[in-house]
Amino acid sequence: SATTRHKVYKQRNLVEMADVVSSIPALNRALHAQFQTGKTRPLAWRKHQLRQAIRMLTENKEKFFDALRKDHRQTELVAESETTGPIQEAEMLLENLDVWCKPSVRSVPLIQKPGSGYVVKDPLGVVLIIAPWNYPFSLLLKPMFGALAAGNCVVIKPSEVAPACSAVIAELVPQYFDNDCVKVVEGAVPEATALIKERWDYIFYTGNTFVGKIIMRAAAEHLTPVTLELGGKSPVIIDESVNMTVAARRIVWAKYTNSGQTCVAPDYVLVVESKYQEFLDHVKKNITDFYGEDPQKSPDYSRIINQRHCERVASLIEGGRVFCGGHVDVADQYVAPTVLTDVDLSSPLMNDEIFGPLLPVIPVKSVDEAISFVNQRPKPLALYIYSENSSNIDRVLSSTSSGGASVNESLMHVICPDLPFGGVGPSGMGSYNGRKTFDTFTHEKSVLHRPTWGDASIRYPPYTESKIRWIKRLNGLKFSQTKLIVSAVMVGGAILAYNYGIPANL
């Protein structure tokens, strides 16, 4: 079983574990030294890493799938997304890298003329990426690819909770990527603790809030910036105008995909009283339509990652009355797709992130009551509103705060490459996806470039009354006025250059 494999993984040779931990400071120093050589900066190097990423994923698809089956008993479609998503990310980075890396021109005030301003996209340096177990490839590889595209050295730590997936990463990454600049560190708490003690130029962590706080404290010792992709309880709000057929189908799909082990899965549903029973009936029907009378036999229904997590999820069922589902088989790491009513709001079910296939459904009198319910709790990673009423939609979106949101949809916003994905407050900080991933691992360095000719004495002491008067005039000009003066000077300069042969670059 996966639990047995996990125990074996944790009970590996203590000497080996100590060797890994003791080697981490030297690994950190070596990567910083390697970054200083400038090896990762050329676009040719970055593009080669991205092409190698695509090769790794396409040439070893069965290895990735087999690892997901061992750790997760993952369904075929979810397993497929674990490789296609990172491939698409790498392809998009390759397609846009030339444009994204170009310096961007910025205006400078009149007092800085003649001169030009621009922003250079600098790599941060050496970054650490710590990945979760629920989507062990995509949530590791997508930020890794963005970090490489930005020109960084990278250390990745896959999750020990998915040991087969971790082993595949440790085997394949050294075969395809630059071993001087990309390193894999396997391990559990001792290795992770040793890693976060070191000085990194950026730490990117996906996981739970408890560990996120530990990482942020460690990063603060070196003033290291972080992205924390955490979680929370993502609510669904349903009003009277809902298209119930579509809403229930989408919510059931989003909730029970990967057995609810998705950070942005609907955590609970707030539904207006007039639609409460109708929603329950539709959800129950869709569960049967999707997974059959016995979901345990369905090839489309995943398992909980291990027995310990299975027992944790099962214990949460006590927080409500089972409307449908409720069956648990710990030995099989199975928790049935379950709907809960009459929910105890003070129970762990409604105070901890569920991260499993349990869906509490709570009736509310109005959309305003639902908004108040959400706002009385920590800011979630995602919020979903199902409605055909534009006024209600606008009110929910403008009156609540969440990392992301979807209207008449759930979960799908995280795979839109032009929509940054991240949390707010307790659900995380920072974001990534597509261009935003590249930006996350890039420093925008502002540059002012001025020639040495035309060095006006007005800026230097002694400051006479005349100088002070002119400085005040220049500082008091509005932005539109400075643009007009600059344009006039440029036109005048061009005329002089044409008529009197003054060099055009002056």
Side-chain angles (χ1 to χ4, degrees):
S1 71
T3 301
T4 303
R5 288 193 302 274
H6 184 51
K7 288 179 179 177
V8 171
Y9 187 89
K10 292 188 74 175
Q11 293 168 0
R12 60 205 168 100
N13 190 297
L14 292 176
V15 175
E16 177 192 340
M17 184 186 295
D19 287 345
V20 172
V21 170
S22 63
S23 70
I24 285 173
L27 177 148
N28 179 276
R29 290 193 299 272
L31 285 172
H32 279 286
Q34 191 63 225
F35 178 73
Q36 291 303 323
T37 68
K39 184 178 184 179
T40 63
R41 287 179 175 268
L43 288 184
W45 182 91
R46 306 183 196 190
K47 291 179 179 179
H48 179 67
Q49 304 310 305
L50 293 171
R51 292 189 186 102
Q52 288 295 95
I54 295 169
R55 278 191 58 212
M56 180 185 74
L57 288 162
T58 54
E59 293 174 1
N60 299 279
K61 190 167 283 191
E62 277 308 311
K63 280 191 176 182
F64 286 108
F65 287 3
D66 185 55
L68 288 165
R69 283 189 287 264
K70 287 177 180 176
D71 285 336
H72 287 267
R73 291 169 64 180
Q74 196 58 272
T75 65
E76 185 176 346
L77 283 180
V78 175
E80 180 75 19
S81 71
E82 277 288 86
T83 56
T84 56
I87 288 172
Q88 290 167 356
E89 184 86 357
E91 289 173 339
M92 186 189 63
L93 289 164
L94 270 171
E95 183 179 337
N96 293 283
L97 197 57
D98 287 325
V99 174
W100 292 349
C101 287
K102 285 182 178 178
S104 56
V105 178
R106 304 297 172 89
S107 62
V108 296
L110 177 62
I111 201 167
Q112 299 285 15
K113 296 290 184 180
S116 59
Y118 53 95
V119 173
V120 175
K121 309 299 174 62
D122 265 0
L124 293 175
V126 183
V127 306
L128 171 64
I129 298 172
I130 302 176
W133 52 262
N134 58 325
Y135 293 94
F137 295 135
S138 60
L139 297 184
L140 172 69
L141 296 176
K142 290 174 75 173
M144 171 187 163
F145 296 168
L148 292 173
N152 298 284
C153 291
V154 182
V155 174
I156 56 174
K157 188 205 165 292
S159 173
E160 76 281 5
V161 181
C165 295
S166 178
V168 167
I169 290 292
E171 174 194 350
L172 295 178
V173 166
Q175 295 178 25
Y176 286 85
F177 295 91
D178 187 330
N179 286 327
D180 293 331
C181 304
V182 182
K183 299 290 184 182
V184 181
V185 175
E186 285 193 285
V189 174
E191 290 83 358
T193 302
L195 282 168
I196 63 176
K197 282 182 179 178
E198 298 300 316
R199 179 181 67 83
W200 307 96
D201 295 299
Y202 203 89
I203 297 176
F204 189 105
Y205 168 75
T206 304
N208 63 63
T209 302
F210 177 78
V211 176
K213 291 178 180 178
I214 294 172
I215 287 172
M216 193 168 181
R217 280 194 291 268
E221 288 295 315
H222 302 285
L223 296 180
T224 298
V226 297
T227 287
L228 301 178
E229 295 291 349
L230 306 177
K233 299 184 72 64
S234 298
V236 178
I237 296 175
I238 298 175
D239 75 358
E240 298 92 340
S241 69
V242 65
N243 180 330
M244 190 62 77
T245 301
V246 174
R249 192 161 57 224
R250 291 179 179 177
I251 292 166
V252 167
W253 174 83
K255 177 62 185 181
Y256 300 113
T257 291
N258 200 24
S259 285
Q261 298 167 114
T262 304
C263 58
V264 288
D267 194 275
Y268 62 92
V269 177
L270 303 170
V271 54
V272 292
E273 292 173 344
S274 62
K275 294 291 182 178
Y276 178 67
Q277 190 59 49
E278 182 184 356
F279 175 71
L280 290 172
D281 293 339
H282 272 76
V283 168
K284 184 176 182 179
K285 178 182 182 299
N286 277 291
I287 290 173
T288 303
D289 290 346
F290 289 0
Y291 305 114
E293 293 293 338
D294 185 358
Q296 193 167 4
K297 297 177 181 177
S298 171
D300 298 316
Y301 192 70
S302 304
R303 293 298 184 268
I304 304 299
I305 184 66
N306 58 38
Q307 291 184 5
R308 180 172 65 87
H309 280 278
C310 190
E311 290 168 351
R312 179 194 64 81
V313 173
S315 70
L316 298 177
I317 296 176
E318 299 173 3
R321 181 177 65 84
V322 174
F323 175 77
C324 65
H327 176 59
V328 177
D329 184 345
V330 174
D332 190 32
Q333 295 156 227
Y334 170 79
V335 176
T338 299
V339 178
L340 298 163
T341 59
D342 300 328
V343 174
D344 179 359
L345 298 184
S346 64
S347 68
L349 175 71
M350 287 305 298
N351 287 278
D352 299 335
E353 184 177 7
I354 294 171
F355 222 66
L358 313 180
L359 185 64
V361 181
I362 301 164
V364 292
K365 290 183 171 60
S366 65
V367 170
D368 288 333
E369 183 182 339
I371 291 170
S372 177
F373 188 99
V374 171
N375 287 340
Q376 289 169 18
R377 287 157 177 78
K379 295 178 180 180
L381 186 55
L383 180 145
Y384 307 115
I385 166 71
Y386 283 84
S387 171
E388 301 296 324
N389 183 314
S390 59
S391 177
N392 283 347
I393 293 169
D394 291 343
R395 193 156 79 255
V396 168
L397 294 178
S398 63
S399 302
T400 59
S401 178
S402 58
S406 292
V407 178
N408 295 320
E409 187 56 274
S410 296
L411 195 143
M412 295 296 286
H413 66 289
V414 303
I415 61 173
C416 296
D418 284 336
L419 292 179
F421 168 58
V424 58
S427 61
M429 62 182 65
S431 58
Y432 72 116
N433 241 7
R435 171 67 184 267
K436 187 63 177 178
T437 313
F438 174 83
D439 290 342
T440 291
F441 294 105
T442 301
H443 169 62
E444 292 194 335
K445 181 168 66 180
S446 298
V447 178
L448 173 66
H449 190 164
R450 299 196 66 201
T452 53
W453 61 268
D455 192 32
S457 63
I458 191 173
R459 66 182 287 184
Y460 302 114
Y463 294 113
T464 63
E465 289 185 9
S466 176
K467 282 185 179 181
I468 292 172
R469 189 164 55 250
W470 272 106
I471 290 171
K472 286 182 177 180
R473 286 175 181 173
L474 290 171
N475 286 336
L477 289 174
K478 294 180 180 178
F479 181 69
S480 58
Q481 292 173 311
T482 63
K483 287 181 69 176
L484 183 62
I485 294 172
V486 169
S487 298
V489 170
M490 290 176 67
V491 170
I495 293 171
L496 287 172
Y498 178 80
N499 290 330
Y500 300 103
I502 298 173
N505 61 351
L506 290 185

